[in-house]
Amino acid sequence: MAKATAVEVDNHQNPYGYRSYQCALLGLIPPLGVLFGLSGLILGVFGFRWARKTKGKPGIGYSVVAMVAGFIELIFQSIGLVIIVTAK
């Protein structure tokens, strides 16, 4: 008799979603926020679109978190960069 096992879900099936999440996390480092925040936002959109087309929507959570975090990082880090550059 075969044992019933839990189905393992690979959260890394959506490469765009997972990479966008990693970029969003790296964007929390202040000097890297503008660059990685923007890339996290762009890759998050790609990952979200890819997950919507794929059955089971793998990695859609990574994509949504990366889009939100990337947008927030991009805005605040850009404001901080402008303040630093214009300060005399």
Side-chain angles (χ1 to χ4, degrees), residues 24-87:
L25 288 179
L26 285 174
L28 294 173
I29 302 170
L32 305 175
V34 175
L35 176 67
F36 283 110
L38 179 61
S39 61
L41 179 62
I42 292 170
L43 287 173
V45 171
F46 287 147
F48 185 77
R49 293 177 67 193
W50 187 85
R52 280 192 349 196
K53 295 178 185 176
T54 307
K55 183 179 180 180
K57 300 185 185 335
I60 200 164
Y62 283 132
S63 300
V64 170
V65 168
M67 286 189 298
V68 171
F71 179 74
I72 292 170
E73 290 168 5
L74 184 63
I75 296 299
F76 283 105
Q77 300 265 349
S78 297
I79 291 170
L81 186 64
V82 167
I83 290 172
I84 290 172
V85 169
T86 58

